[in-house]
Amino acid sequence: QLFDRVREDDPDFQHKIVPVSSELTQPGLALSAEDVEKLTACVHIVFHCAATIRFDEPLKHALQLNVMATQQLLSLAQRMQRLEAFIHISTAYANCNRHHIDEVIYPPPVQPEKLIDSLEWMDDSMVRDITPRLIGDRPNTYTYTKALAECVVQQESSKLSIGIIRPSIVGASWQEPFPGWIDNFNGPSGVFIAAGKGILRTMRANNDAVADLIPVDTVINLTLAVGWYTAVHRPKTALVYNCTTGGINPFHWGEIEHHVMSTFKRNPLEQAFRRPNANITSNYLINQYWILVSHKFPALLYDLYLRLSGQKPQMMRVFNRLHKAIGLLEYFSSQDWEWNSDNMNMLLGQLSPEDRKTFNFDVRQLNWPEYIENYCIGTKKYVLNEDMSDIPAARQHLRKLRNIRYTFNTLLLVFVWRVFIARSQMARNIWYFVVSLCFKFLSYFRASSTLTA
């Protein structure tokens, strides 16, 4: 579906694409001599976006994929006879240990060559033990190695025309090729789906913190524009472009929660585990309480049901994976950053009105409620491959889940009454006192409303 429009415009477009076999972890990127000859003779622009984006990648592997492979590609780029621009995709969180991030390359936490030499003789267990001390105040190996990669790219800026793009949290498409396209569970997509399925009920985040999402087509449009500008204007130093929304068109995690829940209630996912009802809290203890009550306890009950019916239990495993994924995101959903975006604004001013429309990366035009709705529907259509015509059946399923919940709560109330209240005179007296107090409050509220009217 992503390429339907391209197929209409140019049915034979695939003949313009020449794939080559490569492996980032191998010497020389495992490119054949024929492919190296072709690349060095033909390539004008390199867009380097190959990397591991796993937050919990072992340091040695992340270093190999994000730093050493970058070094090898830069070495190959210097042999490209027609090369005009080398565009490197970094991340806005490469320097997340800083609160304010300018469009500059900051000094690396350690010289990449020294780290590579040091880790070469260590076994995996030894590297794993020292990783927390090495990455220091960065949250994971991904942001750490991407900071090192920026340093590696900068070292070659005197020999190549270089541009560095730092996207924040990349999400579904905004406009191109159509709204809401997404094809994976990465980033917020998996969280949205878990919330829509009724699996995720609580998440630790700051409601007032900026959720710096950036649509994938915005990143691509900027990348193409940077490739053009770098090749044509040949800046003397590597220019950095902070590709973010928070400082230009901010949207907060609390607002995202509201729009995700309302969208999935109108357009429910099929076979939801429970009705969508996720809540965000910044309090650790409250979050742990709801994890116990709304995640682990229902998972245990459901797994018990599966065991009794002769099936393999799975819900506790699902929740454990969910908690691990959300734990990796907490660092980014609990605080704010300020990104300077002068270079992105400068580039926008360099485009003609026609190019500005074709390669639109002006996030000031982004309507967040509409974007989040399209994003959620996109996860339903393109990640889960669900048909929109099945929405009435999905709504019926949600009503069934609501009735089950009401029945369960009623039975639970009756059980608590019979076991804890009906057998004790003191408990009954407390119960009657609370009920009469509530009744008096409601009567007073009604009387006050009548007088006001």
Side-chain angles (χ1 to χ4, degrees):
Q1 292 164 311
L2 180 64
F3 298 102
D4 283 348
R5 264 179 51 193
V6 181
R7 292 187 186 98
E8 291 176 11
D9 295 341
D10 186 355
D12 297 323
F13 79 95
Q14 68 270 20
H15 297 303
K16 296 182 178 182
I17 301 167
V18 182
V20 297
S21 177
S22 179
E23 170 53 57
L24 296 185
T25 61
Q26 298 301 314
L29 305 177
L31 290 164
S32 68
E34 294 79 10
D35 287 338
V36 169
E37 185 179 353
K38 188 182 299 182
L39 292 169
T40 53
C42 299
V43 171
H44 292 81
I45 300 179
V46 171
F47 295 105
H48 176 224
C49 49
T52 174
I53 58 171
R54 282 184 54 189
F55 288 171
D56 57 349
E57 192 81 73
L59 179 58
K60 214 168 187 178
H61 198 226
L63 192 70
Q64 199 168 36
L65 291 169
N66 292 351
V67 182
M68 296 166 69
T70 303
Q71 287 178 324
Q72 294 196 67
L73 187 57
L74 286 163
S75 177
L76 178 63
Q78 291 178 37
R79 296 162 56 190
M80 293 177 178
Q81 301 156 20
R82 301 187 179 187
L83 189 70
E84 297 181 31
F86 185 99
I87 310 304
H88 173 72
I89 308 299
S90 183
T91 171
Y93 298 100
N95 303 284
C96 58
N97 55 328
R98 299 171 179 269
H99 176 66
H100 182 89
I101 301 167
D102 286 315
E103 291 176 308
V104 299
I105 301 172
Y106 291 98
V110 65
Q111 286 301 317
E113 294 80 6
K114 290 183 178 180
L115 182 63
I116 292 167
D117 292 341
S118 299
L119 297 188
E120 189 176 359
W121 59 270
M122 297 186 189
D123 60 32
D124 293 342
S125 62
M126 191 178 297
V127 175
R128 186 171 59 249
D129 290 341
I130 66 170
T131 293
R133 295 192 64 182
L134 282 173
I135 65 175
D137 53 2
R138 284 178 171 81
N140 50 52
T141 58
Y142 171 66
T143 57
Y144 180 75
T145 54
K146 293 299 278 185
L148 297 179
E150 286 192 1
C151 172
V152 166
V153 173
Q154 184 187 37
Q155 289 170 356
E156 306 301 327
S157 60
S158 61
K159 305 169 189 173
L160 301 169
S161 294
I162 287 172
I164 296 177
I165 299 168
R166 292 177 179 156
S168 49
I169 304 171
V170 181
S173 64
W174 169 24
Q175 295 171 323
E176 298 291 336
F178 45 80
W181 177 81
I182 189 74
D183 71 341
N184 58 67
F185 290 89
N186 295 337
S189 306
V191 175
F192 290 177
I193 290 171
K197 287 283 189 180
I199 295 173
L200 175 66
R201 311 293 275 190
T202 183
M203 176 178 169
R204 192 172 175 217
N206 183 352
N207 279 280
D208 298 322
V210 172
D212 211 297
L213 297 183
I214 188 81
V216 62
D217 51 330
T218 301
V219 180
I220 298 304
N221 287 337
L222 175 65
T223 301
L224 295 172
V226 169
W228 162 78
Y229 183 83
T230 306
V232 171
H233 294 274
R234 301 292 182 96
K236 294 181 180 179
T237 59
L239 291 184
V240 178
Y241 301 83
N242 285 338
C243 185
T244 61
T245 57
I248 304 169
N249 185 2
F251 201 61
H252 303 88
W253 286 107
E255 294 173 288
I256 284 185
E257 175 211 329
H258 169 74
H259 289 292
V260 169
M261 290 300 98
S262 62
T263 298
F264 280 131
K265 285 174 182 175
R266 293 193 307 271
N267 306 279
L269 301 179
E270 296 175 15
Q271 296 302 310
F273 180 61
R274 283 173 297 186
R275 297 181 75 249
N277 188 28
N279 291 297
I280 287 178
T281 177
S282 57
N283 187 288
Y284 174 80
L285 292 177
I286 292 175
N287 184 56
Q288 289 300 309
Y289 168 78
W290 285 116
I291 285 176
L292 180 66
V293 171
S294 295
H295 287 184
K296 293 187 176 180
F297 181 63
L300 285 171
L301 287 179
Y302 192 74
D303 278 351
L304 178 61
Y305 163 74
L306 291 176
R307 286 180 186 277
L308 293 175
S309 59
Q311 301 176 63
K312 187 177 179 180
Q314 58 180 355
M315 285 310 299
M316 186 56 75
R317 186 173 71 253
V318 168
F319 276 107
N320 287 337
R321 288 175 60 189
L322 178 65
H323 293 152
K324 182 179 179 182
I326 292 175
L328 295 172
L329 293 173
E330 276 185 11
Y331 179 90
F332 304 97
S333 60
S334 300
Q335 52 188 314
D336 283 309
W337 288 267
E338 295 175 2
W339 284 281
N340 181 295
S341 55
D342 289 345
N343 286 341
M344 197 164 80
N345 294 332
M346 175 276 296
L347 182 58
L348 193 63
Q350 293 287 322
L351 299 181
S352 67
E354 184 181 349
D355 285 342
R356 200 177 298 181
K357 185 177 179 181
T358 304
F359 303 97
N360 182 25
F361 54 86
D362 186 0
V363 295
R364 291 172 297 185
Q365 303 171 14
L366 182 61
N367 181 298
W368 281 110
E370 181 183 342
Y371 173 73
I372 295 299
E373 181 173 356
N374 288 331
Y375 194 155
C376 293
I377 293 174
T379 62
K380 177 179 176 68
K381 292 168 66 176
Y382 309 118
V383 179
L384 301 178
N385 296 313
E386 295 182 2
D387 198 323
M388 295 297 285
S389 63
D390 294 331
I391 283 181
R395 287 174 180 158
Q396 179 63 32
H397 180 68
L398 286 192
R399 284 192 288 269
K400 179 182 175 183
L401 291 175
R402 180 196 60 193
N403 294 336
I404 291 173
R405 179 189 172 195
Y406 288 164
T407 303
F408 177 80
N409 288 345
T410 302
L411 292 174
L412 183 64
L413 185 63
V414 170
F415 174 79
V416 170
W417 172 267
R418 295 294 300 170
V419 173
F420 297 104
I421 298 178
R423 298 184 179 183
S424 166
Q425 184 62 44
M426 181 179 291
R428 284 201 301 274
N429 291 340
I430 294 173
W431 172 260
Y432 293 143
F433 174 75
V434 170
V435 170
S436 65
L437 201 63
C438 291
F439 180 75
K440 288 178 181 177
F441 175 78
L442 287 172
S443 301
Y444 173 76
F445 182 77
R446 286 173 184 166
S448 299
S449 302
T450 304
L451 289 172
T452 304

